[in-house]
Amino acid sequence: MTESRLVRQFAHTLRHERERAGLTQQALAARAGLSQAAVARIERGDRLPSLTTAERLLTALDRQLRIEVEPLDDHLDAALDTTAGTGGSAG
């Protein structure tokens, strides 16, 4: 299994959106023009799809991909602020 945060996030998001839509992996694969095995590998986090494949999968779920850039480890700073109860904003 690939140990990338991006791979894990995409895998989780894809599965969540597929389940929210009430689709099986097979149904999503058919809509996106992929095999069920490919969808399963992506959802398990065994591989990160190309941007084209990610777009096909999300389009089949009536969703779109949004990409954001943040400072490295910014998500950790936000988690620490939340845990400390500071909220991360100046008062």
Side-chain angles (χ1 to χ4, degrees), residues 1-13 41-49:
M1 177 184 255
T2 305
E3 292 298 322
S4 163
R5 187 170 59 99
L6 180 59
V7 172
R8 288 190 311 270
Q9 286 179 331
F10 190 83
H12 173 78
T13 299
R41 282 191 303 274
I42 293 166
E43 284 191 0
R44 277 194 312 266
D46 289 344
R47 73 177 187 95
L48 182 65

Side-chain angles (χ1 to χ4, degrees), residues 73-90:
D73 295 331
D74 194 48
H75 63 288
L76 296 176
D77 292 339
L80 289 172
D81 287 343
T82 300
T83 302
T86 63
S89 61

Side-chain angles (χ1 to χ4, degrees), residues 1-71:
M1 177 184 255
T2 305
E3 292 298 322
S4 163
R5 187 170 59 99
L6 180 59
V7 172
R8 288 190 311 270
Q9 286 179 331
F10 190 83
H12 173 78
T13 299
L14 181 63
R15 183 174 185 164
H16 173 79
E17 291 298 326
R18 177 182 59 75
E19 290 174 347
R20 185 195 59 73
L23 295 174
T24 63
Q25 289 180 346
Q26 184 66 41
L28 175 57
R31 285 184 179 191
L34 300 170
S35 69
Q36 180 274 329
V39 173
R41 282 191 303 274
I42 293 166
E43 284 191 0
R44 277 194 312 266
D46 289 344
R47 73 177 187 95
L48 182 65
S50 68
L51 288 176
T52 302
T53 299
E55 186 175 43
R56 286 170 52 193
L57 286 162
L58 293 172
T59 297
L61 293 166
D62 198 29
R63 296 287 185 244
Q64 65 184 9
L65 180 63
R66 183 180 73 203
I67 298 174
E68 295 181 5
V69 177
E70 63 184 18

